[in-house]
Amino acid sequence: MSANELWGGRFAKGPAEIMERINASIDFDRRLYAQDIMGSMAHSSMLMACKIISEEDGRKIQEGLQTILREIEAGNFKTDPALEDIHMHVEARLRELIGDAAGRLHTARSRNDQVATDFRLWVRDTMDHLDGELADLQDALLDQAEAEADTVMPGFTHLQAAQPVTFGHHMLAYVEMFSRDRGRLKDARARLNESPLGSAALAGTSFPIDREMTAKALKFDRPTANSLDGVSDRDFALEFLGFASICSMHLSRLAEEIVIWSSAQFRFVECSDSFSTGSSIMPQKKNPDAAELIRGKAGRSAGAFTSLLMMMKGLPMTYGKDMQEDKEPVFDAADNLQLCLAAMSGMIRDITVNGEVMTAASGAGFTTATDLADWLVQKLDMPFRQAHHVTGALVKLAEDNKCGLEDLSLAQMQSVESGITDDIYKVLGVQNSVASRVSYGGTAPSNVREQVTRWRKRRAEEGGGK
Ligand code: ARG
């Protein structure tokens, strides 16, 4: 059967070969087969229940659909670009299997509401799957946060050493970021979860259909309220890509940190052999390829988002064939994000943290200068601005002597500020510095432990992960 036979009534001849090629989407939309068959099962049950088709035809249709599902799953399904897309492939095969009754499945339905429904179902499944991957990554980060709650590392702004922080606190920052990504998924899923099925081509239908019934069968919360919007809305795909872009950006930032930390100049962490590659010429090299690829792939999600947004922006209501271009960017972004999340979880689980190197580096660059200024305020009742100035002078002195703040003698300190006592040395160690940062959300090891406990509880309540 050629595509032409489905609407052949008004066509005298078939499409040009190049038309067939530009028109066909089967090479990528075959991924919607399970959703397409599920949608047709729900639609045919409803047509039977509403007595729009006979029980006998309905049963034949449903048996045929199940056979097709098995055929596709077993890899025994031939595709033909002349049949354009997955919807027509399924229908054509159904006709081969059950004959004329197949023609009744498309009653009160159009490919426009069909594809809108299938694609929503696919994106919804993907959202649920990715949420599980994100939960797993959070679990991996929490394990590291707990293990390294006391490990001191330099905290950076402008990639300049700023103040000592704990590695556990740094891991928890990403737990928060990925939690917002999961929140975005949850919000987008709730808006996605309306059924366009029954919007028909664009205007609804004169058949006495029950849209609540199909919505319920497909686990949607309700049917979409406007048939024009039902067939032409792709916000759910855009929101998915918006989520994917932001989540990929988060992954890319973590990947970039791993690239920096694992360099010979930093040596804060070491990636496991299973997530690294060597060089074909330089025997000493161990490259963090997985991290680099995660960083590199982030551009694809953002590109996918832009591509769909641009495709949609000039479309008059309702469906336009342009919209067939909605699927590839979503598939690409989803596939890559799934890969990146799994690779990142594996990398984080396997990473070796060089606590001693990090702690040794965390005092460099006068990172406890703020602690010194705070001491002057707290012990000498100095206004903070003045304390800032005095500390600046002490940093200058240490710099001139090529030593750290803690290496200045009490006499040297007192030459800048006579009120300084021995007590000052307590706040100059990086361990003391981080231990003192107990304000809510601060980096103290005790805070990290509390936050890990809070997150573990939340993760146990929500389930998921691996
Ligand atoms: N393959 C099409 C798509 O992906 C299905 C809808 C076709 N509808 C139509 N009126 N030509 O968008």
Side-chain angles (χ1 to χ4, degrees):
M1 174 196 215
S2 79
N4 197 352
E5 281 169 39
L6 285 181
W7 55 67
R10 80 181 292 289
F11 282 78
K13 59 178 192 191
E17 190 265 342
I18 196 72
M19 174 56 196
E20 215 166 80
R21 269 172 54 200
I22 194 173
N23 206 30
S25 54
I26 185 63
D27 282 350
F28 51 88
D29 68 16
R30 58 178 303 155
R31 288 181 70 167
L32 301 177
Y33 77 90
Q35 290 77 13
D36 194 67
I37 289 171
M38 202 192 290
S40 290
M41 290 295 291
H43 185 64
S44 51
S45 295
M46 181 278 291
L47 291 175
M48 283 190 273
C50 297
K51 309 216 178 315
I52 299 169
I53 63 170
S54 70
E55 290 279 334
E56 198 195 331
D57 285 344
R59 225 170 307 117
K60 276 196 214 159
I61 287 171
Q62 299 205 329
E63 280 167 19
L65 288 170
Q66 293 305 327
T67 305
I68 297 170
L69 183 63
R70 281 194 299 273
E71 287 175 352
I72 299 179
E73 263 158 14
N76 301 327
F77 197 78
K78 282 203 186 50
T79 61
D80 171 5
L83 285 174
E84 209 181 313
D85 57 23
I86 186 63
H87 324 295
M88 297 201 342
H89 274 79
V90 172
E91 192 177 329
R93 180 68 185 134
L94 192 62
R95 190 183 296 267
E96 282 174 7
L97 288 172
I98 67 164
D100 283 347
R104 299 201 184 271
L105 171 60
H106 215 52
T107 314
R109 186 177 78 171
S110 152
R111 273 190 297 156
N112 296 350
D113 58 338
Q114 192 178 357
V115 72
T117 305
D118 294 359
F119 199 26
R120 273 188 202 234
L121 290 172
W122 192 92
V123 172
R124 190 179 69 186
D125 286 350
T126 303
M127 285 175 161
D128 293 346
H129 179 75
L130 289 175
D131 185 62
E133 292 285 347
L134 276 162
D136 185 52
L137 176 53
Q138 286 185 308
D139 291 344
L141 290 162
L142 285 170
D143 289 346
Q144 288 294 355
E146 188 164 27
E148 308 294 340
D150 296 288
T151 307
V152 182
M153 70 179 286
F156 299 91
T157 62
H158 315 263
L159 198 57
Q160 306 287 322
Q163 291 175 348
V165 296
T166 49
F167 190 74
H169 194 54
H170 201 116
M171 291 293 102
L172 287 172
Y174 283 98
V175 174
E176 296 289 334
M177 289 187 233
F178 294 122
S179 161
R180 288 195 295 277
D181 291 329
R182 296 184 67 195
R184 266 180 282 277
L185 268 185
K186 195 167 169 224
D187 296 345
R189 192 192 195 282
R191 271 185 299 277
L192 167 148
N193 212 26
E194 295 187 343
S195 171
L197 194 58
S199 299
L202 74 164
T205 175
S206 59
F207 287 99
I209 59 171
D210 182 348
R211 293 192 59 205
E212 294 283 350
M213 183 179 165
T214 45
K216 202 165 158 213
L218 298 170
K219 299 197 169 62
F220 285 115
D221 296 330
R222 64 192 82 82
T224 54
N226 181 301
S227 62
L228 303 173
D229 184 44
V231 295
S232 75
D233 168 45
R234 292 295 182 272
D235 289 2
F236 62 93
L238 277 167
E239 287 196 49
F240 171 73
L241 292 176
F243 144 79
S245 304
I246 296 173
C247 180
S248 301
M249 174 274 285
H250 290 154
L251 284 168
S252 180
R253 293 185 70 180
L254 180 52
E256 167 67 1
E257 301 213 271
I258 293 172
V259 170
I260 294 174
W261 292 342
S262 61
S263 69
Q265 288 69 24
F266 272 76
R267 289 198 308 113
F268 285 6
V269 300
E270 191 180 329
C271 292
S272 73
D273 289 355
S274 26
F275 287 94
S276 312
T277 64
S279 156
S280 53
I281 175 166
M282 297 165 283
Q284 86 284 10
K285 292 268 275 185
K286 183 165 158 190
N287 299 323
D289 290 42
E292 293 169 274
L293 284 163
I294 290 169
R295 189 178 61 186
K297 281 177 186 290
R300 293 169 80 132
S301 315
F305 175 73
T306 309
S307 132
L308 183 55
L309 193 64
M310 292 304 106
M311 186 276 280
M312 290 299 292
K313 79 170 188 56
L315 293 189
M317 294 275 264
T318 48
Y319 178 85
K321 193 63 178 253
D322 320 42
M323 287 162 78
Q324 182 163 285
E325 293 289 311
D326 58 0
K327 292 165 207 69
E328 285 166 293
V330 170
F331 291 159
D332 185 69
D335 291 346
N336 278 293
L337 185 53
Q338 124 84 31
L339 203 56
C340 290
L341 286 167
M344 185 58 91
S345 301
M347 223 170 9
I348 293 292
R349 285 209 163 87
D350 276 12
I351 216 160
T352 307
V353 178
N354 295 333
E356 278 172 29
V357 177
M358 276 193 206
T359 307
S362 60
F366 312 107
T367 54
T368 53
T370 317
D371 298 87
L372 199 160
D374 288 349
W375 185 92
L376 295 172
V377 172
Q378 281 164 1
K379 300 289 154 95
L380 306 186
D381 197 26
M382 213 180 257
F384 183 77
R385 280 291 157 229
Q386 190 190 337
H388 186 286
H389 189 80
V390 170
T391 308
L394 287 164
V395 167
K396 174 98 186 23
L397 185 62
E399 216 166 29
D400 292 344
N401 285 280
K402 297 191 178 16
C403 70
L405 282 170
E406 64 280 14
D407 305 318
L408 291 173
S409 68
L410 189 58
Q412 282 175 312
M413 296 253 196
Q414 286 170 342
S415 72
V416 174
E417 167 52 55
S418 59
I420 294 179
T421 67
D422 242 358
D423 185 61
I424 191 98
Y425 292 100
K426 274 196 212 149
V427 301
L428 294 182
V430 292
Q431 308 282 0
N432 293 331
S433 169
V434 295
S436 73
R437 299 263 190 281
V438 288
S439 58
Y440 182 75
T443 199
S446 56
N447 280 15
V448 172
R449 272 185 264 279
E450 265 170 41
Q451 290 292 326
V452 168
T453 307
R454 177 178 73 88
W455 271 111
R456 293 272 195 223
K457 197 161 157 263
R458 189 162 149 188
R459 287 286 307 111
E461 279 160 16
E462 66 191 13
K466 281 171 192 162

